[in-house]
Amino acid sequence: MINPFFFSLRKALYLLTLTLLSQFISAQTIKGRVLDATTGEPLVGATVKLDGGTKLETFVKLDGTFSLSKVPGGNYQITITYEGFTNTTREVIVATNGTKTIDIKLEPLAKELSSITVTGTSGKEGDNGARRLEKVADPILNILSAKTIQLLPDITVANVLQRVSGVTIEKSGSGEARYPIIRGMEKRYVNTLINGIKIPSPDNKSRFIPLDLFPAELLERVEVSKSLTPSMEGDAIGGTINLVMKDAPQNKLFQVNFALGYNSILSQQ
């Protein structure tokens, strides 16, 4: 006589085996590749998620492939996401047998621009441009920009150079600033350039330039070099003064300067 307990146990084990076997048979695999639609390169690390009642999720491997196993048969939506590419959702029908294989190509979000136009001001006459030139210059350089010169009461270039450290001005017999002296060297050891070109002296008996000839309002900047480089002439052991002139205006320019002053000595007479 068969024991009812053992009969019930055998029946339960039989049903459990059939259930597991049916689930194994119905559970299929989804395989595929995820590629860049433009270059065809594999998108390594892309996230593949299976929607539709499951929580299956995986990542794309180095060769661009992915695999989702133990997927019950039915209709699903598979979503692929990757940074910098459009999210793609595909409908997938999983049969009760076999392996489903799909290839998915993602479109990049970035678009190539035909051209880029950048418009800005050079800032050559500003203090920021002058400090930048001082920073990248090979010799020791001091620069006064046009903006700085406009704030000064100086009329000639010789008067402007009094504002530069290490530069002293020799005055004429009338008391007007005229010849620059750099680091205490004789004025004959100082070269004067206009836009990088050496200019001769108006006096045939000397080689130094009287800088009271140049109005300060014509300058874009004044560059005072206190050290020699191989690109400079060897006769300027005192230093070099480069007068960078303003460009000619594109439109007509009308400018008026007005100055007023008095002599305190005359008022006491």
Side-chain angles (χ1 to χ4, degrees), residues 3 14 39 47 58 114 147 152 165 169 171 174 222 224 228:
N3 191 333
Y14 179 73
T39 63
T47 303
T58 187
S114 58
K147 296 296 183 182
L152 300 176
S165 62
I169 299 297
K171 296 184 178 181
S174 60
V222 180
V224 180
L228 286 175

Side-chain angles (χ1 to χ4, degrees), residues 211-224:
L211 294 183
D212 57 345
L213 299 176
F214 303 96
E217 61 184 10
L218 298 181
L219 296 180
E220 181 180 292
R221 64 180 182 272
V222 180
E223 301 176 351
V224 180

Side-chain angles (χ1 to χ4, degrees), residues 46-50 54-59 67-69 79 81:
T47 303
V48 180
K49 185 178 180 181
L50 191 64
T54 67
K55 296 183 179 180
L56 296 177
E57 185 175 347
T58 187
F59 298 96
S67 177
L68 292 170
S69 58
T79 303
T81 57

Side-chain angles (χ1 to χ4, degrees), residues 195-249:
N195 294 334
I197 301 175
K198 186 178 179 180
I199 59 175
S201 172
D203 188 355
N204 59 358
K205 297 182 181 179
S206 60
R207 60 184 301 272
F208 38 85
I209 309 297
L211 294 183
D212 57 345
L213 299 176
F214 303 96
E217 61 184 10
L218 298 181
L219 296 180
E220 181 180 292
R221 64 180 182 272
V222 180
E223 301 176 351
V224 180
S225 175
K226 302 175 183 176
S227 61
L228 286 175
T229 61
S231 61
M232 297 180 181
E233 298 188 20
D235 57 352
I237 60 176
T240 300
I241 299 174
N242 184 26
L243 308 181
V244 181
M245 299 297 181
K246 293 180 179 179
D247 297 332

Side-chain angles (χ1 to χ4, degrees), residues 125 144-160 211-222 243-249 253-259:
E125 299 182 2
L144 290 179
S145 64
K147 296 296 183 182
T148 301
I149 295 174
Q150 289 177 359
L151 299 176
L152 300 176
D154 303 321
I155 299 177
T156 65
V157 174
N159 291 325
V160 170
L211 294 183
D212 57 345
L213 299 176
F214 303 96
E217 61 184 10
L218 298 181
L219 296 180
E220 181 180 292
R221 64 180 182 272
V222 180
L243 308 181
V244 181
M245 299 297 181
K246 293 180 179 179
D247 297 332
L253 179 64
F254 179 75
Q255 186 174 356
V256 177
N257 294 328
F258 176 78

